[in-house]
Amino acid sequence: MQMHAAQFPFLSTILLICIFGLALVLVLPKNSNAAVKWVSAACSAATLALSVFLFAAYDRGAGGMQFVERLDWIPSMGISYLNGIDGFAAPMLLLTGIVFFTGVVSMWELDFRVKEFFALFILLVIGVYGMFMALDLFFIFVWFDVSLLPMYLLIVIWGSSAREYGAMKLTLYLLFGSAMILPGIIYLAAVSGLETFSLPALVENASFSGFEQKTAFLLFYIGFGILAGVWPFHSWSPTGHVAAPTAVSMLHAGVLMKIGAFGILRVGMFLCPEGWMYWSPMMAVLAVIGIVYGVMVGLRQTDLKFVIGYSSVSHMGIVGLGFATMTVDGINGAVFQMFAHGVMTALFFSAVGHIYDRTHTREIGELGGLSAVMPAASGYFVIAALAGIGVPCLASFWAELLVFIAAFRVYPALAMISVGVLVVNALFMLRVVRNTCFGPLNDRWAHLKDMRFAMGMPRAVLAAAIVGFGLMPFLMYDLIQTASVPLIHSLGQAVGFAGPESVETLFTELMSVWP
Amino acid sequence: MTDWILFIPELYTLAAVGVFFFLCLCRARPGRDYAAAMVLSAGGLVLTVCTAGFEGLVFEGVYQVDLYSQVFKALIYSGFFLTVCLCADLSGVDKARHSEFYLLLCLSTLAMMLLASSVHLLTIYISLEISSYSLYVLVYFRRGYPKGAEPAFQYFVFGAASSAVMLFGFALVYGAFGTAHMAELMGQVPARINEPLVFTGFVLSLSGFFFKLAVFPFHFWAPEAYEAAPHQVSAYIATASKVAAIAILVRMIAMTGGQGDRMAWVLIFLSVASMTAGNLAAMAQKDIKRLLAFSSVAHAGYVMIGILCANAMGYAGAVFYGLSLMVMKFTCFMVVVKAADGGRNIKTDALAGLHQRAPVLALALLLALFGLAGLPPTIGFTAKLLVFKAAMDQGLLWLVIIAMFNVVISLYYYLGVLKAAYFIAPAAQPRAIAVSLPFRLLALAMIVFMVAGGLYPRYMMALAGAMTAGLFP
């Protein structure tokens, strides 16, 4: 694993900005709601700016781990504070920055226990950022848990329907996942005999047996997979989404679920290539069941948040299918999908949150014709829905295309089932859009006003990201490629895996039309 | 000639016992007794910390002073001092008996200190008995407890039975080796631990310590005693007493040199049974003290993981676990003492609105519960990491997975307490909790300690490693 030391600790700066912001929010007087919001907004804007900078400054020619920082933490156990980003982590940092900023602005109208909300929200984001940049297994686990714990409080205090049930279910599920990850991490550190928790050191120097890799990968797959919404561990997800307040739903479905998928990738696939290969057919089957299940159950839902919740299960299934193909295209598509789904689902929840704040209902049957009175809000809802069904020129289109190109080669039958089901989903989503935004206007909503510019701004940022990366997918693709190619190459070296031909795809040909 | 300097902390404590005895003879004055207890316990703590570097053998080699025992003595004294800090409002105990209360507490502390340094089976037995008898009496000190003497009597009967079994085990060990000196046993036990006589002797010998640590099935006294005792006594049993039990248990198991598969399996069984039984039973509890008692049973199981590994990291992990347990359990009892009116027991619901009534206490409770559940970044997470790593080094992946299942179970009831403290609005106008400045500082100190132990544990871990380094033959 090629590593480039940092000239300046940009990654730690992101964490420090968040920690400073959190401290500032905590020391502000209890009733200074405006100040709390401005501090949170400034903190999120600063981290977004740094995330954009890192995304742009990542040297795509050099590849490998960049902006690497290291500090000994517990030398006796080989634990160090080790950060770095590669082509997989940089898009996730950007995603976190976008969703953090837009989430804070989306909650601008909050007036109940404001200080606590934003403090917990920033704490959650610290865990998320930390998880995406950490390269030490100990810290990966710590950040993972730090990102989970505030979720319970955020849902219980500020959530809506069945919040206590949703929060407890979510917390127990996710912490059960973390209870699987910890043994896996310690197991690998112990059997390596290297007395280190450093992921690069273990990847480079450890030699794990087939049994060890299969065992550890299974633990990681279950542990991280629960958070990624892998079927059958997904059932916390729709319940949690529905119970959570808008910004938390955005962060939850937009970023937190990606932590799960990222964990499988970063820890499971990097450390246990043989385990990955062994379990990949099972991963593919579970992913496709997730895709089908998410769509089919979503069809029966009448609550908008449940619709998005189940569609998230389905979309995360696409990520799982991409991983299971063990090809460059599949991995590229999966990581692209993680980003695209993150932004898209954040926009979805943000739009639904706004509609709910105005109408106090999320029942599809009670809505209708909203575009007549709320054209901007409806517009964002429509963009999110179109992204959800993978319309060309939106980011998710490229992601799904790549995954299915790979899946048709490796698992043709499963790919066919998935594509067929996604067509059904597209029809259903269009019907949801029609019943919500178009058609005759329900008289109850005739008095509603459209969102102000300030409230529309976060939605505009999310929509811009969806459209921008849809029109210029190479910005993302080239970056992910710098990590996926070496990963698949090292897989070939590690386990003698000769996967299907995975370069020079339709995608690269399509990209060649760009200057 | 005995090197009395090595015995100074114990002599000081003995003198403190004398002072309390003298106070018992005087007219009851709770304020004076409390002040004396504060001064004497703080002085003893400072003295014990200052003598932590002492090393040597006393009393014909039956009493060993080393880093291991001295640090444990400091921990035991910390438990005593912290318990006394909770005694400003000792409303659960008759005013006339306050000096007796401190006398017994101090006597138990002295006995536990002796236990930490004892390296002869007889001195171990005597120390354990003295510490236990004081606690049997202290449990009965609760004023107006509806069940009367029954829990204390139950505690005594279980304790006496365990002691008898332990003494029988000691006799078998002595019969097998012809010596009761641990130094001599250490050289011979590892080679013969699988012999039926030695194995049986050892397993029976450990029962007394299992009883003190409340390991399943020696735990039946715990919920009753915790519930019945004054809160401060429950806190003491949950902190200092547990630390002392870990001290001697680690020393006894270390004597086997990590040999003996059968012994390991016995310990594994007890560990799994304790974790599971403790956590499952705790889920059904509404009384916070009973809940904490069953949680102690579960934690005894986690500690056992470190001990049964019989390797350097395992012992260090068990010691670290003892330290973390002391801080976290004390913090929970600190909240119980403050939230309870007049020393009565409280149920989980009584914590409703705690975050508004006493934010610092609520935050301390939150961190303590997170720590007990083993969540980062708290000292409890580091402790679990250490014992689990030790188990992994021994190839016990499945045991760690079982332990992690238990961690998830425990989350259910810890989150239940947390929910009450943070999310449930009190039914009626709740009593405002007056938290004095010293008490607030104490809570803050606990918060800092719990977080520092999670974020930057390297020095504490190094100390635990250095302490246990001398235990290997």
Side-chain angles (χ1 to χ4, degrees), chain B residues 263-296:
Chain B
M263 177 65 82
W265 279 108
V266 168
L267 298 178
I268 286 172
F269 168 75
L270 293 175
S271 167
V272 172
S274 282
M275 287 187 281
T276 313
N279 280 322
L280 290 178
M283 286 173 81
Q285 304 306 319
K286 294 286 176 228
D287 185 295
I288 292 181
K289 282 166 72 185
R290 284 184 72 88
L291 185 147
L292 289 171
F294 279 113
S295 130
S296 289

Side-chain angles (χ1 to χ4, degrees), chain A residues 265-283:
Chain A
L265 173 68
R266 176 66 87 221
V267 183
M269 286 150 67
F270 269 74
L271 279 174
C272 312
E274 205 172 328
W276 176 22
M277 192 167 76
Y278 181 81
W279 293 111
S280 63
M282 179 199 75
M283 289 170 68

